[in-house]
């Protein structure tokens, strides 16, 4: 019997989850839940129902794991604790500063219902967090670095779109190669925000907008751009569509540390991702953890978990024996 | 109360474990066990006894985890099952092909004694295995690559030393940069042995030995060198000592894979290590897993485990709450 997955929220992430399920023969998509009129939502998998979110509670015995594909700002803080009362759930809550309180709420809900919830799954938080943690455990005397990009930042693109005179925009976060090289070389530099990343913006102006004014407004925007070296390119709507419609991302997690009786020996651990589609890759991580949620729940476990709490073997369709034989 | 660690076997790895314990304030070295005359073995940690291996069984209530620092060829296949009857144990058994039978023997011994054993800990097997496994779980449609080096291969150095006319030698395994770049670029190439690594040998000749004959003997040696592009440099004993006495190593684990409804989207996951000392780094991984062995045993678990079976949080001295707050 396959693991029956529900998808709640059918945007880029939901569609990514749908595609990832297709790649995992031990899983099947049971249903998609949406806040929109289900008749207006067409999904990729033939024969799978699209339902209103309000019907989800009728599906508790037909879904093993519900994957919550809403946003971290307003959806997941409410949805994950709510659905953890009905289903085993996995989310990709990524507001790092609010993870502890989100964890507490999901944990309470899931313990009450006897369900299992896994939060903050993806690549950061997620695979990057794992690599930070493993590297810290192995090299207690060291220094961490996380670089993001090259990739599209949705939040920064949105911020540009809110500037007066901007019709559309896409922002790329780009790691500074020389900073990365210094870290790789084991120099353990202290790096300011400006020294780690640059920001490159592709902007389509509204008709008659003042380019110089828009550029200044972007470059001086606090939090988003003021602390970075920012480049602004004005392009046409066609160019934006043609050259910048992808959602690539990625990044680097490094730890540079010392061992030896006097800490005289240097080591560098590096993990990196080069992703053509941020939501599709995030979805693939989520689906692997949905397998873990299913198995942990089957063992009778309940409450909230993060990637730190889950033994790697739970993610794999292979048995322990197969894993030891082929991957150890 | 600190986790009390025993070290069995005091070579490069044992000394590395001793240094790593010093970096972890929740641990202490209880004793070192050796097959040599303990009076001839001087360790770094003041006040810690060096004992004969035969005395180990008197220490069962004074040691929480025994770290077995012997070799994989003849020591560990015997030692790990034997000591798992007395102690929670961690080893670095690295003969990939024999891991399944080693696992079975340690599992049987540890289940009988109620102890916990973790085998094949280090970086390959170990951290590299973890990365292969995570990447496979996340990208089921993809291709794996492992490159080793640049680093010293002890086995290949030994093989050269067995050639007639060779006084001493050091062999470096070097990944082929262009092959690495092709994998990173997502080209998913099929690579032969020769295309992935080259071998560089630094050889000190016996007086009067025939350099050409030695070089030919090395380059045509089956299994070790015949399938590789091998370079042989003849140097003096002083040069070998001055320039090649370190034991650096490292390598790369990559998985290149596809997502999307038609598998149209490419991703590359890369993990790499640059290590100035192979045994010191391996030891640091082992010590983190010794913490896990201690905790799992405290929970009442017994039997054999590998890195696949252990939730990452068990490796860290930080609490779940601290981990979620600082590393997720």
């Amino acid at each position: 019997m396959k693991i029956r997955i529900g998808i709640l929220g059918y945007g880029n992430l939901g569609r990514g989850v749908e595609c990832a399920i297709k790649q995992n023969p031990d899983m099947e998509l049971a249903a998609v839940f949406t806040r929109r009129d289900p008749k207006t939502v067409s999904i990729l998998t033939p024969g799978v129902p699209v339902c209103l979110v309000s019907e989800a509670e009728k599906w508790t015995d037909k879904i093993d794991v519900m994957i919550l594909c809403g946003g971290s700002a307003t959806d997941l803080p409410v949805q994950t604790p709510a659905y953890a009362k009905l289903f085993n759930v996995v989310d990709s809550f990524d507001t790092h500063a609010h993870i502890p309180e989100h964890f507490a709420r999901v944990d309470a809900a899931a313990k009450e219902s006897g369900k299992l919830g896994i939060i903050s799954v993806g690549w950061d938080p997620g695979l990057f967090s794992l690599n930070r943690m493993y590297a810290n455990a192995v090299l207690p005397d060291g220094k961490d670095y996380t670089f993001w990009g090259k990739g599209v930042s949705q939040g920064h693109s949105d911020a540009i779109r809110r500037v007066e005179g901007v019709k559309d925009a896409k922002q790329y976060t780009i790691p500074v190669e020389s900073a990365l090289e210094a870290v790789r070389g084991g120099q353990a530099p202290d790096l300011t925000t400006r020294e780690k990343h640059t920001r490159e913006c592709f902007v389509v102006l509204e008709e008659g907008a003042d380019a110089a004014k828009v550029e200044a407004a972007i470059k001086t925007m606090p939090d988003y751009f003021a602390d970075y070296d920012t480049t602004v390119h004005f392009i046409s709507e066609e160019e934006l569509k043609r050259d910048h419609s992808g959602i690539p991302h990625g990044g680097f997690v490094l730890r540079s540390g010392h061992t030896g009786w006097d800490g005289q020996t240097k080591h560098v651990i590096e993990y990196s991702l080069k992703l053509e589609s941020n939501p599709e890759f995030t979805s693939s991580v989520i689906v692997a953890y949905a397998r873990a949620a299913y198995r942990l729940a089957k063992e009778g476990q309940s409450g909230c978990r993060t990637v730190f709490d889950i033994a790697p073997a739970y993610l794999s369709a292979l048995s322990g024996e197969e894993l030891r034989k082929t991957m150890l």
Side-chain angles (χ1 to χ4, degrees), chain A residues 148-154 156-157 160 169-175 197-202 225 229-231 233 235 239-240 243-249:
Chain A
W148 293 276
K150 181 183 175 173
V152 172
S153 162
Q154 220 52 66
H156 287 79
S157 301
I160 299 173
K170 207 85 178 233
Q171 193 268 183
Y172 296 91
T173 304
I174 303 169
H197 297 96
T198 57
R199 300 199 175 276
E200 192 170 20
C201 314
F202 293 86
F225 294 100
D229 290 330
T230 302
T231 318
H233 307 280
I235 60 174
E239 287 171 310
L240 189 79
D243 303 332
H244 304 284
S245 58
I247 323 174
H249 219 314

Side-chain angles (χ1 to χ4, degrees), chain A residues 49-109:
Chain A
V50 179
C51 311
L52 266 176
V53 161
S54 55
E55 294 173 58
E57 53 196 88
K58 297 181 202 156
W59 285 77
T60 48
D61 58 348
K62 282 171 272 182
I63 284 174
D64 296 310
V65 183
M66 183 72 95
I67 297 180
L68 304 171
C69 298
S72 294
T74 56
D75 297 333
L76 299 176
V78 178
Q79 288 177 349
T80 316
Y83 287 100
K85 291 187 180 149
L86 301 168
F87 298 98
N88 303 309
V89 294
V90 182
D91 80 14
S92 61
F93 184 78
D94 67 358
T95 315
H96 294 259
H98 296 299
I99 287 174
E101 59 204 76
H102 188 58
F103 182 90
R105 277 197 295 259
V106 176
D107 195 47

Side-chain angles (χ1 to χ4, degrees), chain A residues 39 41 75 81 130 192 194 208 214 258 267 272 284 287 289 295:
Chain A
K39 283 197 290 289
V41 176
D75 297 333
L130 279 175
T192 62
R194 189 178 295 270
V214 167
H258 292 84
H267 308 282
S272 71
S284 297
V287 164
Y289 276 93
R295 291 175 174 176

Side-chain angles (χ1 to χ4, degrees), chain A residues 111-244:
Chain A
K111 276 188 177 140
E112 206 191 302
S113 63
K115 301 289 180 185
L116 196 112
I118 310 180
I119 62 160
S120 300
V121 177
W123 58 274
D124 196 359
L127 300 181
F128 272 21
S129 323
L130 279 175
N131 275 280
R132 285 189 283 263
M133 208 234 84
Y134 276 116
N136 271 270
V138 167
L139 294 177
D141 173 16
K143 224 166 148 180
D144 291 311
Y145 298 88
T146 302
F147 292 84
W148 293 276
K150 181 183 175 173
V152 172
S153 162
Q154 220 52 66
H156 287 79
S157 301
D158 290 344
I160 299 173
R161 282 187 211 107
R162 287 191 295 265
V163 171
E164 210 190 305
V166 171
K167 191 169 181 190
D168 203 352
K170 207 85 178 233
Q171 193 268 183
Y172 296 91
T173 304
I174 303 169
V176 174
E177 194 58 40
S178 59
L180 247 176
E181 279 309 319
V183 174
R184 277 189 189 129
Q187 297 170 39
D190 288 313
L191 297 169
T192 62
T193 297
R194 189 178 295 270
E195 285 165 340
K196 285 179 72 186
H197 297 96
T198 57
R199 300 199 175 276
E200 192 170 20
C201 314
F202 293 86
V203 178
V204 180
L205 290 173
E206 301 270 15
E207 225 181 283
D210 179 343
K213 233 174 108 180
V214 167
E215 182 167 345
I218 295 170
K219 288 187 169 177
T220 58
M221 199 186 297
D223 300 332
Y224 286 91
F225 294 100
D227 297 335
Y228 297 86
D229 290 330
T230 302
T231 318
V232 178
H233 307 280
F234 293 103
I235 60 174
S236 69
E237 205 163 359
E238 293 67 43
E239 287 171 310
L240 189 79
K241 207 165 173 180
R242 187 190 67 207
D243 303 332
H244 304 284

